[in-house]
Amino acid sequence: MSIKKKPLVVVTRKLPDSVETRMRELFDARLNLDDRPMTPDELIDAVRTADILVTTVTDHINAAVLKQPDCKLKLIAQFGNGVDNIDVVAAHEHGVTVTNTPNVLTEDTADMTMALILAVPRRFIEGAALLTAGGDWPGWSPTWMLGRRLGGKRLGIIGMGRIGQAVARRAHAFGLQIHYHNRKPVAPKIADELGATYWDSLDQMLARMDIISVNCPHTPATFHLLSARRLKLIRKDAYIVNTARGTVIDEDTLTKLIEAGEIAGAALDVFEHEPAVNPRLVRLAKAGKVVLLPHMGSATIEGRVEMGEKVIINIRTFLDNHKPPDRVLPSML
């Protein structure tokens, strides 16, 4: 493509200072220093005026936004790995290239997942809250605040991609038995390294696990993958950890089952109607039944800077009339 030397790049959210500084050096960058999510009308205005739009998970770029007759947009450079907030098919039909930032947040997200796997059975958050909330701690007791041992328990990983495998390596080091469900088995070398057992049937795996970790991407096929029917297969003493996407789980049914004692508990870093959090989940968190975090799985300084660097590489490669290294095509979803 041939556009002006310094293309107009609209950045929808506040990014790390070093990333914004580099963008100002390279492009005519319109930054969002207030970090306020753009409204639908502001996004429509952006596609009418910008050559390139740097989006995040909070920006919903659907067909209605992209169909503007005077749309100037040529590239959507997503600051993030997931692109479920973008209608990639509509973008492709309108001649708009989409890129993302994969392979950056694997270790950070796996660290957070492992932390939650530890936190829920051992009741770490519940214990910490007792001290910080001004509760009267009577001192150590042989039968007080008892949790569950991790070693020897079965961990069922849903989605054995890069993040799922990173979680498995951490969990294996803690003595957990690794089980997984995926579209296809991982390479034999990886399975042998982790002692991982593959389950073709998700239903059968769910019914036998002590802890379930959701690490699959959001796609039309994974919406409510853990449906009401499947959630009812899970054992009463099992726990669910989700650091992927909230829509993978039927959150309302999960909440009801935990309230009824049909599932032991959960740790959620993502929510089905994010940023809204179900008040019933908040009550369960206060009761020590669940751990809730505000989508922090990838929230490290290093990770955010690396994401920004990938965005810049994708933009510069695109402007040099080459295929960006992290291009997302409809066939990949």
Side-chain angles (χ1 to χ4, degrees):
M1 61 171 290
S2 177
I3 60 176
K4 55 192 175 184
K5 186 176 180 181
K6 278 199 171 186
L8 175 59
V9 176
V10 173
V11 184
T12 65
R13 298 298 296 269
K14 178 78 177 71
L15 302 183
D17 288 346
S18 62
V19 175
E20 292 185 337
T21 299
R22 189 61 177 146
M23 284 188 171
R24 290 294 297 270
E25 292 171 349
L26 294 170
F27 319 120
D28 177 11
R30 184 189 299 169
L31 306 177
N32 182 352
L33 300 179
D34 294 332
D35 198 31
R36 178 182 55 80
M38 283 188 168
T39 65
D41 286 342
E42 288 171 331
L43 288 172
I44 288 173
D45 181 65
V47 304
R48 286 173 168 166
T49 58
D51 300 300
I52 296 160
L53 187 63
V54 177
T55 56
T56 73
V57 68
T58 61
D59 305 306
H60 299 287
I61 312 298
N62 54 30
V65 172
L66 291 166
K67 72 177 183 179
Q68 308 308 311
D70 52 349
C71 175
K72 288 186 59 180
L73 196 64
K74 299 299 181 186
L75 171 67
I76 299 173
Q78 173 87 335
F79 183 88
N81 184 28
V83 292
D84 44 291
N85 59 302
I86 301 169
D87 189 331
V88 177
V89 173
H92 185 71
E93 291 173 350
H94 285 83
V96 179
T97 299
V98 178
T99 62
N100 66 343
T101 59
N103 306 324
V104 171
L105 305 174
T106 298
E107 302 303 322
D108 296 331
T109 305
D111 286 345
M112 179 65 79
T113 305
M114 193 65 223
L116 293 176
I117 289 172
L118 288 163
V120 179
R122 291 301 310 274
R123 303 173 68 180
F124 290 159
I125 306 301
E126 189 180 353
L130 178 89
L131 298 179
T132 58
D136 184 15
W137 179 43
W140 183 87
S141 166
T143 57
W144 187 70
M145 285 294 291
L146 299 182
R148 296 278 183 173
R149 177 183 293 167
L150 282 184
K153 296 296 191 297
R154 295 185 178 93
L155 172 67
I157 297 174
I158 301 175
M160 199 64 153
R162 290 183 298 271
I163 294 174
Q165 290 177 33
V167 170
R169 289 189 179 92
R170 287 158 173 77
H172 183 66
F174 278 87
L176 284 145
Q177 298 178 35
I178 307 302
H179 297 252
Y180 72 99
H181 170 78
N182 204 41
R183 286 181 295 178
K184 59 182 180 180
V186 298
K189 180 179 179 180
I190 296 173
D192 291 343
E193 172 195 347
L194 300 171
T197 300
Y198 173 67
W199 292 83
D200 179 64
S201 168
L202 177 58
D203 288 6
Q204 291 186 19
M205 186 184 82
L206 290 174
R208 292 165 172 82
M209 296 298 108
D210 300 298
I211 304 170
I212 296 154
S213 178
V214 180
N215 299 108
C216 59
H218 169 88
T219 68
T222 62
F223 176 79
H224 280 194
L225 182 66
L226 291 188
S227 61
R229 180 187 68 79
R230 283 190 168 130
L231 288 168
K232 291 173 183 176
L233 299 174
I234 296 171
R235 292 166 38 184
K236 290 185 178 181
D237 58 352
Y239 303 90
I240 297 177
V241 174
N242 187 8
T243 57
R245 282 290 188 266
T247 52
V248 177
I249 300 177
D250 181 340
E251 191 176 278
D252 184 60
T253 299
L254 174 64
T255 304
K256 290 177 181 177
L257 290 173
I258 296 173
E259 289 173 334
E262 296 298 318
I263 292 177
L268 307 175
D269 185 47
V270 289
F271 306 93
E272 185 169 357
H273 304 291
E274 196 171 312
V277 180
N278 189 328
R280 290 159 58 204
L281 279 176
V282 175
R283 287 195 293 271
L284 286 170
K286 291 178 179 178
K289 294 293 185 180
V290 302
V291 173
L292 306 179
L293 292 178
H295 205 143
M296 294 169 56
S298 61
T300 68
I301 295 169
E302 296 86 350
R304 295 289 192 249
V305 170
E306 288 180 22
M307 289 167 68
E309 290 170 348
K310 267 188 170 283
V311 167
I312 290 171
I313 289 171
N314 282 318
I315 294 174
R316 295 195 70 180
T317 306
F318 178 79
L319 294 173
D320 287 339
N321 296 313
H322 297 297
K323 291 182 180 179
D326 302 310
R327 187 180 182 190
V328 180
L329 298 172
S331 60
M332 298 165 62
L333 303 177

